[in-house]
Amino acid sequence: GAEPTVRDHSECLFPSLPGDITQKGYEKKRSKLIGAYLPQPPTANGAAVVRCRLQHSEGAPGRALHSGNIGVCDIREAAVRERAASTAGNRPLFYFRFGVDQALPPERRAPVTPASSTRYHRRRSSGSRDERYRSDVHTEAVQAALAKHKERKMAVPMPSKRRSLVVQTSMDAYTPPDTSSGSEDEGSVQGDSQGTPTSSQGSINMEHWISQAIHGSTTSTTSSSSTQSGGSGAAHRLADVMAQTHIENHSAPPDVTTYTSEHPIQVERPQGSTTSRTAPKYGNAELMETGDGVPVSSRVSAKIQQLVNTLKRPKRPPLREFFVDDFEELLEVQQPDPNQPKPEGAQMLAMRGEQLGVVTNWPPSLEAALQRWGTISPKAPCLTTMDTNGKPLYILTYGKLWTRSMKVAYNILHKLGTKQEPMVRPGDRVALVFPNNDPAASMVAFYGCLLAEVVPVPIEVPLTRKDAGSQQIGFLLGSCGVTVALTSDACHKGLPKSPTGEIPQFKGWPKLLWFVTESKHLSKPPRDWFPHIKDANNDTAYIEYKTCKDGSVLGVTVTRIALLTHCQALTQACGYTEAETIVNVLDFKKDVGLWHGILTSVMNMMHVISIPYSLMKVNPLSWIQKVCQYKAKVACVKSRDMHWALVAHRDQRDVNLSSLRMLIVADGANPWSISSCDAFLNVFQSKGLRQEVICPCASSPEALTVAIRRPTDDSNQPPGRGVLSMHGLTYGVIRVDSEEKLSVLTVQDVGLVMPGAIMCSVKPDGVPQLCRTDEIGELCVCAIATGTSYYGLSGMTKNTFEVFPVTSSGAPVSEYPFVRTGLLGFVGPGGLVFVVGKMDGLMVVSGRRHNADDIVATALAVEPMKFVYRGRIAVFSVTVLHDERIVIVAEQRPDSTEEDSFQWMSRVLQAIDSIHQVGVYCLALVPANTLPKTPLGGIHLSETKQLFLEGSLHPCNVLMCPHTCVTNLPKPRQKQPEIGPASVMVGNLVSGKRIAQASGRDLGQIEDNDQARKFLFLSEVLQWRAQTTPDHVLYTLLNCRGTIASSLTCVQLHKRAEKIAVMLMERGHLQDGDHVALVYPPGIDLIAAFYGCLYAGCVPITVRPPHPQNIATTLPTVKMIVEVSRSACLMTTQLICKLLRSREAAAAVDVRAWPPILDTDDLPKKRPAQIYKPSNPDTLAYLDFSVSTTGMLAGVKMSHAATSAFCRSIKLQCELYPSREVAICLDPYCGLGFVLWCLCSVYSGHQSILIPPSELETNPALWLLAVSQYKVRDTFCSYSVMELCTKGLGSQTESLKARGLDLSRVRTCVVVAEERPRIALTQSFSKLFKDLGLHPRAVSTSFGCRVNLAICLQGTSGPDPTTVYVDMRALRHDRVRLVERGSPHSLPLMESGKILPGVRIIIANPETKGPLGDSHLGEIWVHSAHNASGYFTIYGDESLQSDHFNSRLSFGDTQTVWARTGYLGFLRRTELTDANGERHDALYVVGALDEAMELRGMRYHPIDIETSVIRAHKSVTECAVFTWTNLLVVVVELDGSEQEALDLVPLVTNVVLEEHYLVVGVVVVVDIGVIPINSRGEKQRMHLRDGFLADQLDPIYVAYNM
């Protein structure tokens, strides 16, 4: 129990620190620090009193602590974060806490009360905390930071997830990963589960209060023995804390994840609702939005509301105001913070290590040393290997090493290939492939190569053909020209084999000859053969592989002289002497394990006890046992080995570490190794471990050993510590932190510069300029003992191995080159080297530098072991929108619930925000054991990043925070007041530009022998045709087999129409002018019924019949159109008649409210007395009803005059005559589709071949086969039909060709549409069917809208449609900027066909109604004889839309009456010539104003964002976006397994940020077919929105981005 005093050495390192802190002072300081974060309970007199003397011993709740009684203080401490001065006159403050202090003799221990002892035993088994990753201090800082956050209630909406995604699929998911390691090659121990008192008996402090607050546990706060609180350790501790600190029953802060503490949001749906639901029923296009009010009570909208409220919190950095250039949206450029710390110290001096002393008996080369020991002391042990039980497996003596190495050398040189053509010559590279449990064979092979003067390249054993990173190793071997791989028997047997017994070529590997080096397989060298042993020279000795940040593998070459010098420097620094025993736990193939355990050991004839990784997994204490057993002087370990030993340590009686003079900590440069060192010392000091024995070192593949702490005999010389401000570090500045800060990094020194070396630190990027003394830089070393190059890469070699640091004046520091170590740090007082991170782990976010390891440490300090596996965590950055964004990926424990994990995630974000002041862009949790591993069990970082970026990481939880992280978005646009009537208008120029106006051919000037022109009404044209060409076939209807189902001649149609007219008058008792709803499937009956109505003087309305399989959603639309159109009667077929009156129909609508239904399957046999002739061409001919994409049902009125003008315009544009045949594959219910199906043939006399699009579902080739068979020249289709053909026939073009399909006669194939042309689809259709004769020029699109059903249509004559590329960023500002094809942000737009004859177009500003110039974006206004004459509404409320049909310009030509299409577009005069010799004006449609989304003051068209999203991942088949309360919601259809659903969230967010500068608010992943599409193939985004907000989509996953 004697506690050594430690001299206060704070003055020597950082003089500004205070001196000793007594226990009392420590407590006081601690309570001052933490008091701020404890809730302030109201006391009796209203003042707040917090008593913060938190007890340190859980063993005895009531015991007061006297400073004399302190064994180990609890330093889970934010401030006194291991102050150099932290000795309480007793003992250093350690980081490892015990409820019952093991270090004290029994009589000094706390009395264990019965209650606490049972609890102590019960909780021993809890998983232990990760001591390696954080000093407890870090945890305390994190917890305090989190407590601070509680005041600002973070309402993070939890993602919704489909049940199937939540349920764990199999039991194997419950086994912990076989490794749990840090970012290095580390693995885990099975001993994790037998935790120690360490974590469970931790002191009562902040963390518990927080975990209580967050879990909202219902412990009774008065009882101090409430053990029934569901096993959460925090709850008991809390109960005690509450009892002791008199926090009067303070109500815990609300739960972070729910939006109010009273009503938690239920995430899983009730099981019933998911199972009973079959296909998504809501999804038919014709459904209507019920006004624009959307139900707000639903869960989704509650969550969105919550998200909106959260996002209203101000973001950290306010955006600067700046001027937006005319075209470019400037991305916010991060301005340096004026208050940021800047380095102020003097320029550093290069530090010189001690002189490398030349000892007389040092060998001239390493091979010479081997020869010496092998001949003079052949019996001396060189290497002892262990089996998995920890028993010595084999002892390799120096004699055996020498003879076997010779044998290997001889065989390599003489037994491979032929005598004339040996396979391997001196200087060639050879791979060494040995498993980690066979160091002896590897060592023999390594020295065999040195003796044969070939270059060994030690690598990992490739376990499978697709090992993470193994491909890159293959590239290294290939570039080194390796053709031979040396391996052991056992390893050779274990390699994967092909059926013939060959070892297959691994992916990316060169072809190798595998050569087994076991002695029994080798031939003995002849007596006279002897290896050539010469002094060390500049030839390459070996190549060490190094994995870079991006996953590529480089080979660092080490020359023979560097190898020897390095061994000498290590011997001098570590004071190695002959025949010492050294225990090595490290990988012997590279780095510290190779340098000490294979190379330096032979130089000094030492005995190495090698502990394989497999033994450590089974028995983490094995290395400590071997140190005791062999009384080893030196041990080489990593922090994780110390940590595992602590976890597994059970007060072993026989442990004695007093033989150790040096414990080399290989990753001592890692920021978190310090806590492992302290904790280890704390426990094993009583077992003979001395503080000065712990020797952290820093190393890198390029510079070999960079620095190492020397073993001293002076136990009073404490190691150097620095408590640095994390904020300062992000600016690369060293600031010793005042203790009030939460965010500090404590670093330990890694000793002094190596003997014979010079070290300096230089600025990490740009010119290698020396740093100032208080600046962090990259450490550079100048010495013989470093690597010399990256094999085969001269450019990279120059930048790394041939660096000449310069002073501020530009003078080089030395004439010799330095090597960049890849380590960031500084040289502190007394020449001590401190490392704060690696260049590889550096992430520069908004100009500040963060270290991946530090972020790992903070993430793990948030209740590390409960939800994620210790050490199975990856932190990296991805570049999105010109800045690095931090991504954290961790493996989730299978037993943690969704809520727990989500809670953990939201707390990690808060902790990192507080401590590092940086936002995390994406935090993802993946299932246990799914992250790619390196061979020694660490996480393969670059592979993880690769998987993340390509969307194949398959996370089970994702939280994205783009709203908080992305602060460099362009400034929201402020609208400029537009140029009004005052702007200069001269003739046809506006503001110096030609007015954007255009027109089709003038109808009045066209001379054609159009007989139909002499009739005003279509009904008269039909009668005329029935008399003049009675047997001419007008219509042919095809069935799904492509055979004729029925046809109509002129006279048959006329006679059918007469009978229907009689029926309407006699059975329907209708007067002229009554409205009749025609509910027919696409076909001939519909056409007859239409003309029947005209003959009877009634006004027809065509209505799509309800879908028999989906009555519930399609029938209400039919009912609504019938009611809104005020139909007096409904005509249909017998079949549909039955359907309308069926039980299913009755369930969907009130069937008694139908108007009279007439069944036209049995018609009267008589003719009408006379056929009705309208009095005035301006009276109503028919009503055209259609549901717009925004979900509005709109009916327009078509007069007789407009109908005739329409037909004539199309006849002229397409040159239609009675001798022509036209194939039509369109829905005949509204717009141009209806006109082509029902009206045009009667007007022009051509034959229409009718193909109902629904038939293509059973036979996708039907339409094209008909076109080919009937030798059709003109055909019309919809986008849905084109898509069906492209997707359904893509693979069948060969077989179609064989069936004689020939499309070479087609001259126009027009897609009938009311949207921007879908270039990608038309182009892929053209490409696909080019082989079948389709001319690419034939495919074009048309454009129509509600006010004018067809404005443009390609037609036969005139130039081909043109395509232009516009800048998408300018479009958002309502500007057109033409760019080159393929330039960034370019968007292709195709002309929407030629303007029809008789149509005039102008582009106007939708707000001011002023005319716009050529190539300016505005609303398309149209004037034509076939404009509709108005909306038909129930209430006759025309005031609202009257200006849609009769608007006038505010200046310029103010007389003409225009109709407003509601579409944005622009006109552009081209170089092409029109049919009438004029220059051709092309119209480009950009998108509907209704659909466009106003975000950040800019106008976005959904289709542009959707196109980007569909490209983001192969599994996204369809996408639709809409906004809800300023949030952008992206719905994606997933074609893949549900496991891929969460991969899409980051990719969707990235692509929308990159290409559109928008932050996605909600990502919804749904099944295929959920996004509703109408008959024209347009997405019904508003229905989708309603379905989403009403929780009807049954999404696979909904992510709410923060």
Side-chain angles (χ1 to χ4, degrees), residues 26 30 33-34 75-81 136-138 140:
Y26 160 67
R30 187 169 191 285
L33 278 167
I34 291 181
I75 304 244
R76 225 155 148 201
E77 205 18 326
V80 187
R81 184 149 184 171
D136 297 335
V137 198
H138 201 127
E140 186 144 283

Side-chain angles (χ1 to χ4, degrees), residues 1053-1281:
L1053 176 56
H1054 169 64
K1055 289 202 165 134
R1056 283 280 294 281
E1058 284 188 322
K1059 290 176 184 170
I1060 289 168
V1062 169
M1063 185 178 187
L1064 282 168
M1065 294 174 204
E1066 295 190 354
R1067 290 193 204 159
H1069 309 296
L1070 297 185
Q1071 271 86 49
D1072 52 353
D1074 277 348
H1075 297 184
V1076 180
L1078 311 182
V1079 186
Y1080 287 94
I1084 300 265
D1085 290 342
L1086 176 70
I1087 300 169
F1090 179 84
Y1091 287 100
C1093 288
L1094 294 190
Y1095 279 11
C1098 298
V1099 177
I1101 299 109
T1102 49
V1103 184
R1104 173 193 306 281
H1107 196 291
Q1109 268 78 55
N1110 203 353
I1111 287 186
T1113 51
T1114 53
L1115 193 61
T1117 311
V1118 176
K1119 185 85 174 16
M1120 186 174 283
I1121 295 177
V1122 170
E1123 282 172 4
V1124 172
S1125 64
R1126 293 191 234 144
S1127 297
C1129 126
L1130 190 153
M1131 278 207 294
T1132 184
T1133 64
Q1134 202 164 355
L1135 206 70
I1136 293 173
C1137 197
K1138 285 194 183 124
L1139 193 64
L1140 294 178
R1141 295 205 170 99
S1142 65
R1143 280 179 45 201
E1144 292 90 344
V1149 299
D1150 177 7
V1151 289
R1152 290 165 307 186
W1154 287 118
I1157 297 177
L1158 298 180
D1159 153 19
T1160 52
D1161 284 358
D1162 94 89
L1163 290 172
K1165 298 285 184 280
K1166 52 192 218 178
R1167 295 174 56 189
Q1170 96 271 0
I1171 290 172
Y1172 175 82
K1173 183 176 176 184
S1175 52
N1176 177 352
D1178 292 333
T1179 54
L1180 208 46
Y1182 71 97
L1183 291 177
D1184 183 304
F1185 271 89
S1186 129
V1187 177
S1188 77
T1189 49
T1190 50
M1192 299 308 296
L1193 176 70
V1196 295
K1197 302 188 282 203
M1198 287 296 288
S1199 67
H1200 286 284
T1203 308
S1204 301
F1206 199 166
C1207 290
R1208 171 147 197 257
S1209 193
I1210 289 173
K1211 171 188 190 300
L1212 293 168
Q1213 191 81 334
C1214 301
E1215 299 177 7
L1216 300 174
Y1217 306 108
S1219 56
R1220 283 284 156 77
E1221 288 173 339
V1222 174
I1224 295 166
C1225 191
L1226 288 167
D1227 270 323
Y1229 300 107
C1230 59
L1232 184 54
F1234 163 74
V1235 173
L1236 289 165
W1237 188 282
C1238 288
L1239 312 183
C1240 287
S1241 274
V1242 169
Y1243 187 88
S1244 310
H1246 60 276
Q1247 179 184 349
S1248 291
I1249 297 158
L1250 306 175
I1251 305 151
S1254 52
E1255 304 286 11
L1256 263 67
E1257 283 164 25
T1258 48
N1259 177 9
L1262 175 64
W1263 167 51
L1264 294 177
L1265 284 167
V1267 167
S1268 164
Q1269 184 188 337
Y1270 291 92
K1271 303 185 170 50
V1272 166
R1273 290 174 64 178
D1274 304 287
T1275 181
F1276 295 87
C1277 69
S1278 64
Y1279 279 124
S1280 336
V1281 166

Side-chain angles (χ1 to χ4, degrees), residues 1576-1596:
R1576 294 188 293 278
E1578 298 164 339
K1579 294 173 205 168
Q1580 302 284 285
R1581 296 181 183 91
M1582 292 307 117
H1583 288 321
L1584 184 66
R1585 186 179 81 172
D1586 299 346
F1588 171 62
L1589 293 168
D1591 276 314
Q1592 293 168 340
L1593 300 191
D1594 182 29
I1596 300 170

